[in-house]
Every structure is written in structure tokens, then in C-alpha cells.
Amino acid sequence: MDHDLASRLADSPTSTPRTVGRLALGAFLLFAGITHLTVAREEFRAQVPGWVPLSEDAVVLVSGVVEISLGGALLVLPHKKVPVGWIVAAFFVAIFPGNISQLVTHTDAFGLDSDQKRAGRLLFQPLLVLWALWSTGAWRAWRRG
């Protein structure tokens, strides 16, 4: 990465609402990751698409560890918020097929017991991507690029 781009990424401006948003997203990811490993493990297994060539439990455990790591990074690495924001956004995109699979296979989990509820949930994934990009200043840093 060239020096100018690296300095723009590091110096992305922030504001109180963005900081609160980043910290809230970090806490949300930490909580979700912990529940992957504990109380909601079975619910998360229901979202693993059948075509994934790994055991459902392995996918849930790995994704839980990733969520804990990303949540922690959002909370304790404010100087790395822009690259972390892009990684979090990419993670939300990467797990979207699980949400689609839950709809297509009519799988109940997390109280989503109808196709209407499962379809409604799909609308929230892009909001998570936007939340990650906005709260970390990642989108703003890219646009200034």
C-alpha cells in the first residue's frame, strides 16, 4: 500500500455518533460470537448452508471466533478502524448465503419460523454492512481516496 493511501486510512475522521456506532457494533459482534460458542450454537447451526463442505459445528465455532475477534478489534483498535471496518463489512457479506439458505430451505431458527420473517431478515444484512462502513469511516476514507 502506498504511503499516501495508508495515511488517509489511518487519519479517517470520526465523530461521536460514529464512535458510538463502532463501539455498539463491536459489542454486538462480541455478544453474537460468544453466543455462537455457547447458548445459541444450535440456532446458528441451522443457518449453515448444506453445500458448505465443513461440519456445521466447525463453521459455527470458527464464525464465532471470527465475530469475537472482529468485535474486539472494533472496540480496542480505534487506530485501525478503517481496515477493520472493511473486514467486518466483508464478513457480513460472506455470511449472507447462510441467511439466504435459511429462507430457501425453510429452516426455523432465532424465532424466524415463517418465510416472511426469514425474508424480512435478509433486509437487515445490508444494513449491517453499511453500519460497519459508516461507523468506522471506511466508506468516507475510500471516497476521499
PDB file of all heavy atoms in Angstrom, residues 51-87:
ATOM      1  N   TRP A  51     -24.423 -26.884   1.382  1.00  0.00           N
ATOM      2  CA  TRP A  51     -23.341 -27.041   0.405  1.00  0.00           C
ATOM      3  C   TRP A  51     -21.963 -26.691   0.963  1.00  0.00           C
ATOM      4  O   TRP A  51     -20.958 -26.908   0.309  1.00  0.00           O
ATOM      5  CB  TRP A  51     -23.619 -26.202  -0.847  1.00  0.00           C
ATOM      6  CG  TRP A  51     -23.973 -24.769  -0.582  1.00  0.00           C
ATOM      7  CD1 TRP A  51     -25.238 -24.252  -0.516  1.00  0.00           C
ATOM      8  CD2 TRP A  51     -23.094 -23.679  -0.335  1.00  0.00           C
ATOM      9  NE1 TRP A  51     -25.192 -22.903  -0.240  1.00  0.00           N
ATOM     10  CE2 TRP A  51     -23.881 -22.526  -0.125  1.00  0.00           C
ATOM     11  CE3 TRP A  51     -21.712 -23.552  -0.267  1.00  0.00           C
ATOM     12  CZ2 TRP A  51     -23.328 -21.273   0.147  1.00  0.00           C
ATOM     13  CZ3 TRP A  51     -21.165 -22.308  -0.001  1.00  0.00           C
ATOM     14  CH2 TRP A  51     -21.968 -21.190   0.194  1.00  0.00           C
ATOM     15  N   VAL A  52     -21.902 -26.174   2.185  1.00  0.00           N
ATOM     16  CA  VAL A  52     -20.602 -25.863   2.793  1.00  0.00           C
ATOM     17  C   VAL A  52     -19.919 -27.191   3.133  1.00  0.00           C
ATOM     18  O   VAL A  52     -20.500 -28.024   3.825  1.00  0.00           O
ATOM     19  CB  VAL A  52     -20.766 -24.985   4.053  1.00  0.00           C
ATOM     20  CG1 VAL A  52     -19.447 -24.802   4.781  1.00  0.00           C
ATOM     21  CG2 VAL A  52     -21.376 -23.645   3.674  1.00  0.00           C
ATOM     22  N   PRO A  53     -18.687 -27.390   2.641  1.00  0.00           N
ATOM     23  CA  PRO A  53     -18.027 -28.695   2.792  1.00  0.00           C
ATOM     24  C   PRO A  53     -17.371 -28.928   4.154  1.00  0.00           C
ATOM     25  O   PRO A  53     -16.419 -29.687   4.261  1.00  0.00           O
ATOM     26  CB  PRO A  53     -16.974 -28.667   1.681  1.00  0.00           C
ATOM     27  CG  PRO A  53     -16.614 -27.238   1.552  1.00  0.00           C
ATOM     28  CD  PRO A  53     -17.903 -26.483   1.809  1.00  0.00           C
ATOM     29  N   LEU A  54     -17.863 -28.290   5.205  1.00  0.00           N
ATOM     30  CA  LEU A  54     -17.358 -28.471   6.560  1.00  0.00           C
ATOM     31  C   LEU A  54     -18.523 -28.829   7.466  1.00  0.00           C
ATOM     32  O   LEU A  54     -19.681 -28.593   7.125  1.00  0.00           O
ATOM     33  CB  LEU A  54     -16.706 -27.174   7.059  1.00  0.00           C
ATOM     34  CG  LEU A  54     -15.555 -26.613   6.234  1.00  0.00           C
ATOM     35  CD1 LEU A  54     -15.208 -25.204   6.692  1.00  0.00           C
ATOM     36  CD2 LEU A  54     -14.341 -27.521   6.349  1.00  0.00           C
ATOM     37  N   SER A  55     -18.201 -29.357   8.625  1.00  0.00           N
ATOM     38  CA  SER A  55     -19.290 -29.668   9.554  1.00  0.00           C
ATOM     39  C   SER A  55     -19.948 -28.369  10.010  1.00  0.00           C
ATOM     40  O   SER A  55     -19.295 -27.324  10.128  1.00  0.00           O
ATOM     41  CB  SER A  55     -18.754 -30.443  10.760  1.00  0.00           C
ATOM     42  OG  SER A  55     -18.120 -29.576  11.673  1.00  0.00           O
ATOM     43  N   GLU A  56     -21.239 -28.449  10.253  1.00  0.00           N
ATOM     44  CA  GLU A  56     -21.980 -27.270  10.711  1.00  0.00           C
ATOM     45  C   GLU A  56     -21.368 -26.711  11.988  1.00  0.00           C
ATOM     46  O   GLU A  56     -21.222 -25.502  12.147  1.00  0.00           O
ATOM     47  CB  GLU A  56     -23.447 -27.625  10.961  1.00  0.00           C
ATOM     48  CG  GLU A  56     -24.228 -27.926   9.709  1.00  0.00           C
ATOM     49  CD  GLU A  56     -25.633 -28.428  10.004  1.00  0.00           C
ATOM     50  OE1 GLU A  56     -25.933 -28.739  11.187  1.00  0.00           O
ATOM     51  OE2 GLU A  56     -26.426 -28.508   9.064  1.00  0.00           O
ATOM     52  N   ASP A  57     -20.997 -27.604  12.886  1.00  0.00           N
ATOM     53  CA  ASP A  57     -20.450 -27.155  14.156  1.00  0.00           C
ATOM     54  C   ASP A  57     -19.121 -26.425  13.966  1.00  0.00           C
ATOM     55  O   ASP A  57     -18.876 -25.400  14.608  1.00  0.00           O
ATOM     56  CB  ASP A  57     -20.283 -28.336  15.108  1.00  0.00           C
ATOM     57  CG  ASP A  57     -20.321 -27.905  16.562  1.00  0.00           C
ATOM     58  OD1 ASP A  57     -21.189 -27.072  16.926  1.00  0.00           O
ATOM     59  OD2 ASP A  57     -19.478 -28.378  17.337  1.00  0.00           O
ATOM     60  N   ALA A  58     -18.276 -26.925  13.069  1.00  0.00           N
ATOM     61  CA  ALA A  58     -16.994 -26.257  12.811  1.00  0.00           C
ATOM     62  C   ALA A  58     -17.220 -24.853  12.258  1.00  0.00           C
ATOM     63  O   ALA A  58     -16.554 -23.898  12.668  1.00  0.00           O
ATOM     64  CB  ALA A  58     -16.150 -27.082  11.842  1.00  0.00           C
ATOM     65  N   VAL A  59     -18.171 -24.712  11.349  1.00  0.00           N
ATOM     66  CA  VAL A  59     -18.472 -23.400  10.766  1.00  0.00           C
ATOM     67  C   VAL A  59     -18.965 -22.449  11.851  1.00  0.00           C
ATOM     68  O   VAL A  59     -18.548 -21.284  11.909  1.00  0.00           O
ATOM     69  CB  VAL A  59     -19.500 -23.522   9.624  1.00  0.00           C
ATOM     70  CG1 VAL A  59     -19.979 -22.157   9.160  1.00  0.00           C
ATOM     71  CG2 VAL A  59     -18.911 -24.310   8.464  1.00  0.00           C
ATOM     72  N   VAL A  60     -19.832 -22.927  12.722  1.00  0.00           N
ATOM     73  CA  VAL A  60     -20.368 -22.084  13.798  1.00  0.00           C
ATOM     74  C   VAL A  60     -19.254 -21.673  14.760  1.00  0.00           C
ATOM     75  O   VAL A  60     -19.157 -20.504  15.151  1.00  0.00           O
ATOM     76  CB  VAL A  60     -21.521 -22.807  14.537  1.00  0.00           C
ATOM     77  CG1 VAL A  60     -21.916 -22.061  15.800  1.00  0.00           C
ATOM     78  CG2 VAL A  60     -22.712 -22.967  13.605  1.00  0.00           C
ATOM     79  N   LEU A  61     -18.394 -22.615  15.123  1.00  0.00           N
ATOM     80  CA  LEU A  61     -17.303 -22.298  16.045  1.00  0.00           C
ATOM     81  C   LEU A  61     -16.328 -21.295  15.434  1.00  0.00           C
ATOM     82  O   LEU A  61     -15.944 -20.320  16.079  1.00  0.00           O
ATOM     83  CB  LEU A  61     -16.574 -23.572  16.465  1.00  0.00           C
ATOM     84  CG  LEU A  61     -17.380 -24.537  17.331  1.00  0.00           C
ATOM     85  CD1 LEU A  61     -16.615 -25.832  17.554  1.00  0.00           C
ATOM     86  CD2 LEU A  61     -17.747 -23.895  18.654  1.00  0.00           C
ATOM     87  N   VAL A  62     -15.936 -21.529  14.190  1.00  0.00           N
ATOM     88  CA  VAL A  62     -14.996 -20.619  13.530  1.00  0.00           C
ATOM     89  C   VAL A  62     -15.624 -19.237  13.356  1.00  0.00           C
ATOM     90  O   VAL A  62     -14.988 -18.215  13.643  1.00  0.00           O
ATOM     91  CB  VAL A  62     -14.523 -21.195  12.176  1.00  0.00           C
ATOM     92  CG1 VAL A  62     -13.772 -20.153  11.356  1.00  0.00           C
ATOM     93  CG2 VAL A  62     -13.634 -22.409  12.409  1.00  0.00           C
ATOM     94  N   SER A  63     -16.875 -19.190  12.911  1.00  0.00           N
ATOM     95  CA  SER A  63     -17.508 -17.883  12.725  1.00  0.00           C
ATOM     96  C   SER A  63     -17.677 -17.166  14.067  1.00  0.00           C
ATOM     97  O   SER A  63     -17.564 -15.938  14.136  1.00  0.00           O
ATOM     98  CB  SER A  63     -18.837 -17.999  11.978  1.00  0.00           C
ATOM     99  OG  SER A  63     -19.771 -18.751  12.706  1.00  0.00           O
ATOM    100  N   GLY A  64     -17.901 -17.906  15.133  1.00  0.00           N
ATOM    101  CA  GLY A  64     -17.985 -17.296  16.456  1.00  0.00           C
ATOM    102  C   GLY A  64     -16.664 -16.673  16.880  1.00  0.00           C
ATOM    103  O   GLY A  64     -16.624 -15.548  17.387  1.00  0.00           O
ATOM    104  N   VAL A  65     -15.581 -17.392  16.650  1.00  0.00           N
ATOM    105  CA  VAL A  65     -14.252 -16.859  16.978  1.00  0.00           C
ATOM    106  C   VAL A  65     -13.958 -15.623  16.119  1.00  0.00           C
ATOM    107  O   VAL A  65     -13.418 -14.628  16.610  1.00  0.00           O
ATOM    108  CB  VAL A  65     -13.167 -17.943  16.805  1.00  0.00           C
ATOM    109  CG1 VAL A  65     -11.767 -17.353  16.888  1.00  0.00           C
ATOM    110  CG2 VAL A  65     -13.352 -19.040  17.855  1.00  0.00           C
ATOM    111  N   VAL A  66     -14.328 -15.675  14.848  1.00  0.00           N
ATOM    112  CA  VAL A  66     -14.122 -14.518  13.964  1.00  0.00           C
ATOM    113  C   VAL A  66     -14.923 -13.323  14.473  1.00  0.00           C
ATOM    114  O   VAL A  66     -14.418 -12.198  14.538  1.00  0.00           O
ATOM    115  CB  VAL A  66     -14.481 -14.861  12.499  1.00  0.00           C
ATOM    116  CG1 VAL A  66     -14.533 -13.612  11.635  1.00  0.00           C
ATOM    117  CG2 VAL A  66     -13.482 -15.865  11.929  1.00  0.00           C
ATOM    118  N   GLU A  67     -16.180 -13.535  14.850  1.00  0.00           N
ATOM    119  CA  GLU A  67     -17.000 -12.440  15.355  1.00  0.00           C
ATOM    120  C   GLU A  67     -16.427 -11.849  16.638  1.00  0.00           C
ATOM    121  O   GLU A  67     -16.409 -10.630  16.811  1.00  0.00           O
ATOM    122  CB  GLU A  67     -18.445 -12.893  15.573  1.00  0.00           C
ATOM    123  CG  GLU A  67     -19.188 -13.047  14.279  1.00  0.00           C
ATOM    124  CD  GLU A  67     -20.659 -13.375  14.468  1.00  0.00           C
ATOM    125  OE1 GLU A  67     -21.047 -13.848  15.566  1.00  0.00           O
ATOM    126  OE2 GLU A  67     -21.424 -13.162  13.526  1.00  0.00           O
ATOM    127  N   ILE A  68     -15.951 -12.695  17.531  1.00  0.00           N
ATOM    128  CA  ILE A  68     -15.327 -12.207  18.763  1.00  0.00           C
ATOM    129  C   ILE A  68     -14.092 -11.370  18.423  1.00  0.00           C
ATOM    130  O   ILE A  68     -13.886 -10.287  18.979  1.00  0.00           O
ATOM    131  CB  ILE A  68     -14.975 -13.374  19.707  1.00  0.00           C
ATOM    132  CG1 ILE A  68     -16.262 -14.002  20.263  1.00  0.00           C
ATOM    133  CG2 ILE A  68     -14.051 -12.916  20.829  1.00  0.00           C
ATOM    134  CD1 ILE A  68     -16.059 -15.337  20.964  1.00  0.00           C
ATOM    135  N   SER A  69     -13.294 -11.855  17.492  1.00  0.00           N
ATOM    136  CA  SER A  69     -12.080 -11.130  17.088  1.00  0.00           C
ATOM    137  C   SER A  69     -12.419  -9.789  16.455  1.00  0.00           C
ATOM    138  O   SER A  69     -11.796  -8.762  16.768  1.00  0.00           O
ATOM    139  CB  SER A  69     -11.257 -11.975  16.112  1.00  0.00           C
ATOM    140  OG  SER A  69     -10.880 -13.189  16.706  1.00  0.00           O
ATOM    141  N   LEU A  70     -13.377  -9.784  15.552  1.00  0.00           N
ATOM    142  CA  LEU A  70     -13.769  -8.536  14.891  1.00  0.00           C
ATOM    143  C   LEU A  70     -14.397  -7.554  15.883  1.00  0.00           C
ATOM    144  O   LEU A  70     -14.114  -6.350  15.841  1.00  0.00           O
ATOM    145  CB  LEU A  70     -14.722  -8.817  13.733  1.00  0.00           C
ATOM    146  CG  LEU A  70     -14.126  -9.574  12.552  1.00  0.00           C
ATOM    147  CD1 LEU A  70     -15.203  -9.944  11.545  1.00  0.00           C
ATOM    148  CD2 LEU A  70     -13.012  -8.774  11.905  1.00  0.00           C
ATOM    149  N   GLY A  71     -15.249  -8.060  16.751  1.00  0.00           N
ATOM    150  CA  GLY A  71     -15.849  -7.194  17.764  1.00  0.00           C
ATOM    151  C   GLY A  71     -14.792  -6.586  18.667  1.00  0.00           C
ATOM    152  O   GLY A  71     -14.808  -5.386  18.953  1.00  0.00           O
ATOM    153  N   GLY A  72     -13.843  -7.410  19.088  1.00  0.00           N
ATOM    154  CA  GLY A  72     -12.758  -6.903  19.917  1.00  0.00           C
ATOM    155  C   GLY A  72     -11.926  -5.862  19.188  1.00  0.00           C
ATOM    156  O   GLY A  72     -11.551  -4.840  19.767  1.00  0.00           O
ATOM    157  N   ALA A  73     -11.656  -6.110  17.914  1.00  0.00           N
ATOM    158  CA  ALA A  73     -10.867  -5.151  17.127  1.00  0.00           C
ATOM    159  C   ALA A  73     -11.599  -3.818  17.015  1.00  0.00           C
ATOM    160  O   ALA A  73     -10.975  -2.755  17.112  1.00  0.00           O
ATOM    161  CB  ALA A  73     -10.570  -5.721  15.739  1.00  0.00           C
ATOM    162  N   LEU A  74     -12.906  -3.852  16.812  1.00  0.00           N
ATOM    163  CA  LEU A  74     -13.670  -2.604  16.747  1.00  0.00           C
ATOM    164  C   LEU A  74     -13.609  -1.838  18.067  1.00  0.00           C
ATOM    165  O   LEU A  74     -13.596  -0.607  18.082  1.00  0.00           O
ATOM    166  CB  LEU A  74     -15.130  -2.874  16.380  1.00  0.00           C
ATOM    167  CG  LEU A  74     -15.401  -3.255  14.931  1.00  0.00           C
ATOM    168  CD1 LEU A  74     -16.819  -3.776  14.770  1.00  0.00           C
ATOM    169  CD2 LEU A  74     -15.146  -2.080  14.003  1.00  0.00           C
ATOM    170  N   LEU A  75     -13.531  -2.553  19.163  1.00  0.00           N
ATOM    171  CA  LEU A  75     -13.523  -1.918  20.480  1.00  0.00           C
ATOM    172  C   LEU A  75     -12.154  -1.386  20.892  1.00  0.00           C
ATOM    173  O   LEU A  75     -12.065  -0.318  21.498  1.00  0.00           O
ATOM    174  CB  LEU A  75     -14.022  -2.900  21.543  1.00  0.00           C
ATOM    175  CG  LEU A  75     -15.484  -3.329  21.442  1.00  0.00           C
ATOM    176  CD1 LEU A  75     -15.786  -4.420  22.453  1.00  0.00           C
ATOM    177  CD2 LEU A  75     -16.418  -2.150  21.632  1.00  0.00           C
ATOM    178  N   VAL A  76     -11.094  -2.124  20.574  1.00  0.00           N
ATOM    179  CA  VAL A  76      -9.783  -1.772  21.149  1.00  0.00           C
ATOM    180  C   VAL A  76      -8.747  -1.291  20.139  1.00  0.00           C
ATOM    181  O   VAL A  76      -7.633  -0.953  20.535  1.00  0.00           O
ATOM    182  CB  VAL A  76      -9.197  -2.939  21.980  1.00  0.00           C
ATOM    183  CG1 VAL A  76     -10.155  -3.342  23.096  1.00  0.00           C
ATOM    184  CG2 VAL A  76      -8.843  -4.126  21.110  1.00  0.00           C
ATOM    185  N   LEU A  77      -9.087  -1.256  18.865  1.00  0.00           N
ATOM    186  CA  LEU A  77      -8.128  -0.804  17.854  1.00  0.00           C
ATOM    187  C   LEU A  77      -8.674   0.385  17.062  1.00  0.00           C
ATOM    188  O   LEU A  77      -8.797   0.320  15.833  1.00  0.00           O
ATOM    189  CB  LEU A  77      -7.779  -1.952  16.890  1.00  0.00           C
ATOM    190  CG  LEU A  77      -7.121  -3.188  17.497  1.00  0.00           C
ATOM    191  CD1 LEU A  77      -6.961  -4.274  16.445  1.00  0.00           C
ATOM    192  CD2 LEU A  77      -5.781  -2.831  18.125  1.00  0.00           C
ATOM    193  N   PRO A  78      -8.983   1.488  17.737  1.00  0.00           N
ATOM    194  CA  PRO A  78      -9.561   2.616  17.008  1.00  0.00           C
ATOM    195  C   PRO A  78      -8.629   3.164  15.923  1.00  0.00           C
ATOM    196  O   PRO A  78      -9.107   3.696  14.922  1.00  0.00           O
ATOM    197  CB  PRO A  78      -9.825   3.656  18.094  1.00  0.00           C
ATOM    198  CG  PRO A  78      -8.931   3.287  19.217  1.00  0.00           C
ATOM    199  CD  PRO A  78      -8.797   1.793  19.156  1.00  0.00           C
ATOM    200  N   HIS A  79      -7.335   3.013  16.093  1.00  0.00           N
ATOM    201  CA  HIS A  79      -6.390   3.492  15.087  1.00  0.00           C
ATOM    202  C   HIS A  79      -6.382   2.616  13.836  1.00  0.00           C
ATOM    203  O   HIS A  79      -5.819   2.996  12.824  1.00  0.00           O
ATOM    204  CB  HIS A  79      -4.986   3.600  15.693  1.00  0.00           C
ATOM    205  CG  HIS A  79      -4.460   2.302  16.205  1.00  0.00           C
ATOM    206  ND1 HIS A  79      -4.959   1.708  17.361  1.00  0.00           N
ATOM    207  CD2 HIS A  79      -3.524   1.473  15.730  1.00  0.00           C
ATOM    208  CE1 HIS A  79      -4.333   0.570  17.558  1.00  0.00           C
ATOM    209  NE2 HIS A  79      -3.451   0.396  16.584  1.00  0.00           N
ATOM    210  N   LYS A  80      -7.039   1.471  13.898  1.00  0.00           N
ATOM    211  CA  LYS A  80      -7.151   0.555  12.749  1.00  0.00           C
ATOM    212  C   LYS A  80      -8.603   0.437  12.295  1.00  0.00           C
ATOM    213  O   LYS A  80      -8.965  -0.507  11.602  1.00  0.00           O
ATOM    214  CB  LYS A  80      -6.631  -0.833  13.131  1.00  0.00           C
ATOM    215  CG  LYS A  80      -5.185  -0.869  13.526  1.00  0.00           C
ATOM    216  CD  LYS A  80      -4.313  -0.714  12.325  1.00  0.00           C
ATOM    217  CE  LYS A  80      -2.859  -0.913  12.724  1.00  0.00           C
ATOM    218  NZ  LYS A  80      -1.954  -0.632  11.640  1.00  0.00           N
ATOM    219  N   LYS A  81      -9.424   1.419  12.673  1.00  0.00           N
ATOM    220  CA  LYS A  81     -10.862   1.286  12.443  1.00  0.00           C
ATOM    221  C   LYS A  81     -11.241   1.157  10.971  1.00  0.00           C
ATOM    222  O   LYS A  81     -12.170   0.447  10.631  1.00  0.00           O
ATOM    223  CB  LYS A  81     -11.627   2.421  13.115  1.00  0.00           C
ATOM    224  CG  LYS A  81     -11.366   3.794  12.538  1.00  0.00           C
ATOM    225  CD  LYS A  81     -12.117   4.854  13.335  1.00  0.00           C
ATOM    226  CE  LYS A  81     -11.803   6.231  12.850  1.00  0.00           C
ATOM    227  NZ  LYS A  81     -10.463   6.695  13.136  1.00  0.00           N
ATOM    228  N   VAL A  82     -10.527   1.832  10.087  1.00  0.00           N
ATOM    229  CA  VAL A  82     -10.901   1.780   8.671  1.00  0.00           C
ATOM    230  C   VAL A  82     -10.665   0.393   8.088  1.00  0.00           C
ATOM    231  O   VAL A  82     -11.593  -0.207   7.523  1.00  0.00           O
ATOM    232  CB  VAL A  82     -10.192   2.891   7.863  1.00  0.00           C
ATOM    233  CG1 VAL A  82     -10.393   2.689   6.373  1.00  0.00           C
ATOM    234  CG2 VAL A  82     -10.722   4.252   8.287  1.00  0.00           C
ATOM    235  N   PRO A  83      -9.461  -0.181   8.203  1.00  0.00           N
ATOM    236  CA  PRO A  83      -9.314  -1.536   7.651  1.00  0.00           C
ATOM    237  C   PRO A  83     -10.197  -2.566   8.357  1.00  0.00           C
ATOM    238  O   PRO A  83     -10.744  -3.464   7.719  1.00  0.00           O
ATOM    239  CB  PRO A  83      -7.830  -1.857   7.826  1.00  0.00           C
ATOM    240  CG  PRO A  83      -7.240  -0.780   8.654  1.00  0.00           C
ATOM    241  CD  PRO A  83      -8.195   0.365   8.669  1.00  0.00           C
ATOM    242  N   VAL A  84     -10.374  -2.398   9.671  1.00  0.00           N
ATOM    243  CA  VAL A  84     -11.263  -3.314  10.396  1.00  0.00           C
ATOM    244  C   VAL A  84     -12.695  -3.161   9.883  1.00  0.00           C
ATOM    245  O   VAL A  84     -13.407  -4.156   9.716  1.00  0.00           O
ATOM    246  CB  VAL A  84     -11.176  -3.093  11.925  1.00  0.00           C
ATOM    247  CG1 VAL A  84     -12.261  -3.881  12.655  1.00  0.00           C
ATOM    248  CG2 VAL A  84      -9.795  -3.486  12.442  1.00  0.00           C
ATOM    249  N   GLY A  85     -13.109  -1.940   9.591  1.00  0.00           N
ATOM    250  CA  GLY A  85     -14.447  -1.715   9.046  1.00  0.00           C
ATOM    251  C   GLY A  85     -14.668  -2.454   7.739  1.00  0.00           C
ATOM    252  O   GLY A  85     -15.726  -3.046   7.513  1.00  0.00           O
ATOM    253  N   TRP A  86     -13.667  -2.421   6.862  1.00  0.00           N
ATOM    254  CA  TRP A  86     -13.778  -3.153   5.589  1.00  0.00           C
ATOM    255  C   TRP A  86     -13.846  -4.661   5.823  1.00  0.00           C
ATOM    256  O   TRP A  86     -14.621  -5.367   5.163  1.00  0.00           O
ATOM    257  CB  TRP A  86     -12.611  -2.819   4.660  1.00  0.00           C
ATOM    258  CG  TRP A  86     -12.747  -1.475   4.034  1.00  0.00           C
ATOM    259  CD1 TRP A  86     -12.006  -0.369   4.286  1.00  0.00           C
ATOM    260  CD2 TRP A  86     -13.710  -1.088   3.035  1.00  0.00           C
ATOM    261  NE1 TRP A  86     -12.451   0.689   3.521  1.00  0.00           N
ATOM    262  CE2 TRP A  86     -13.484   0.277   2.746  1.00  0.00           C
ATOM    263  CE3 TRP A  86     -14.737  -1.754   2.383  1.00  0.00           C
ATOM    264  CZ2 TRP A  86     -14.257   0.986   1.813  1.00  0.00           C
ATOM    265  CZ3 TRP A  86     -15.509  -1.051   1.460  1.00  0.00           C
ATOM    266  CH2 TRP A  86     -15.260   0.294   1.186  1.00  0.00           C
ATOM    267  N   ILE A  87     -13.069  -5.149   6.778  1.00  0.00           N
ATOM    268  CA  ILE A  87     -13.077  -6.590   7.068  1.00  0.00           C
ATOM    269  C   ILE A  87     -14.422  -7.004   7.657  1.00  0.00           C
ATOM    270  O   ILE A  87     -14.986  -8.037   7.279  1.00  0.00           O
ATOM    271  CB  ILE A  87     -11.903  -6.964   7.999  1.00  0.00           C
ATOM    272  CG1 ILE A  87     -10.575  -6.743   7.267  1.00  0.00           C
ATOM    273  CG2 ILE A  87     -12.021  -8.405   8.476  1.00  0.00           C
ATOM    274  CD1 ILE A  87      -9.358  -6.755   8.181  1.00  0.00           C
TER     275      ILE A  87
END
